[in-house]
């Protein structure tokens, strides 16, 4: 199998039978909780994409990527820089928008100064995002 990741990652291969056996022990419940919490956050954020009007799907997708990359967004005053690996095509795949719709909304995000190009990667103006799209950023931590 070949895995492609955007950050350094460890991949473990565990047989389903072995995993089911290991998870039966109560001392392994923190492990199960950690895995399910990470999946739960991802699916929760991904579900927000289907609840947004098409004009806001890209903004929600960008926020989701920022949050999944840096869960404590309060550490960042204004700008969050995503690595160069987060290309437009990868963001388009995550957003599930059509190509025409994606590039139209991407152009609009650049015009609104929500996204800025830099040499180190794509920069997201979180303060501006919260100002223009307050419903995108949840008020409570999850």
């Amino acid at each position: 199998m070949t895995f492609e990741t955007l950050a350094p990652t460890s991949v473990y291969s565990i047989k389903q039978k072995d995993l089911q056996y290991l998870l039966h022990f109560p001392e392994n419940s923190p492990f199960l909780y950690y895995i399910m919490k990470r999946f739960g956050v991802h699916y929760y954020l991904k579900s927000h994409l289907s609840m947004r009007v098409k004009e806001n799907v890209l903004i929600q997708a960008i926020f989701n990527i920022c949050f999944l990359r840096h869960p404590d967004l309060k550490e960042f005053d204004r700008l969050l820089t995503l690595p160069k690996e987060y290309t437009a095509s990868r963001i388009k795949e995550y957003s599930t928008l059509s190509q025409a719709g994606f590039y139209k909304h991407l152009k609009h995000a650049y015009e609104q100064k929500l996204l800025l190009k830099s040499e180190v990667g794509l920069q997201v103006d979180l303060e501006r995002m919260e100002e223009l799209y307050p419903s995108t950023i949840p008020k409570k931590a999850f």
Side-chain angles (χ1 to χ4, degrees):
M1 295 176 132
T2 302
F3 296 96
E4 184 178 332
T5 63
L6 297 176
T9 305
S10 297
V11 177
Y12 299 96
S13 177
I14 303 172
K15 294 178 184 174
Q16 182 180 0
K17 206 181 225 183
D18 294 339
L19 184 62
Q20 287 173 341
Y21 173 75
L22 290 171
L23 292 178
H24 279 94
F25 297 106
E27 61 269 15
N28 291 329
S29 61
F31 174 73
L32 181 61
Y33 172 76
Y34 176 77
I35 290 175
M36 295 313 293
K37 182 177 179 189
R38 295 301 299 161
F39 279 140
V41 169
H42 170 71
Y43 290 128
Y44 172 74
L45 290 172
K46 191 78 170 169
S47 72
H48 280 254
L49 295 179
S50 63
M51 296 187 304
R52 300 283 176 222
V53 294
K54 289 293 179 195
E55 292 78 25
N56 295 348
V57 168
L58 177 62
I59 303 305
Q60 184 68 52
I62 291 169
F63 170 77
N64 291 359
I65 290 168
C66 290
F67 185 83
L68 290 169
R69 180 111 176 112
H70 303 283
D72 193 10
L73 291 175
K74 292 177 178 135
E75 291 178 8
F76 300 93
D77 293 328
R78 183 181 179 124
L79 292 177
L80 185 139
T81 304
L82 294 173
K84 288 182 179 183
E85 291 83 10
Y86 287 90
T87 60
S89 61
R90 289 187 190 268
I91 295 171
K92 182 184 146 313
E93 287 173 18
Y94 182 81
S95 72
T96 67
L97 289 168
S98 69
Q99 187 165 345
F102 172 78
Y103 286 107
K104 176 182 150 190
H105 299 305
L106 184 65
K107 180 182 174 191
H108 190 64
Y110 279 120
E111 289 169 355
Q112 290 181 316
K113 304 284 190 231
L114 290 172
L115 301 176
L116 309 164
K117 290 183 182 177
S118 78
E119 293 178 9
V120 292
L122 185 66
Q123 291 185 321
V124 181
D125 189 336
L126 296 170
E127 192 175 285
R128 186 117 172 101
M129 183 184 285
E130 188 171 19
E131 176 186 314
L132 295 175
Y133 301 94
S135 66
T136 303
I137 301 175
K139 300 299 178 210
K140 290 182 176 179
F142 48 91

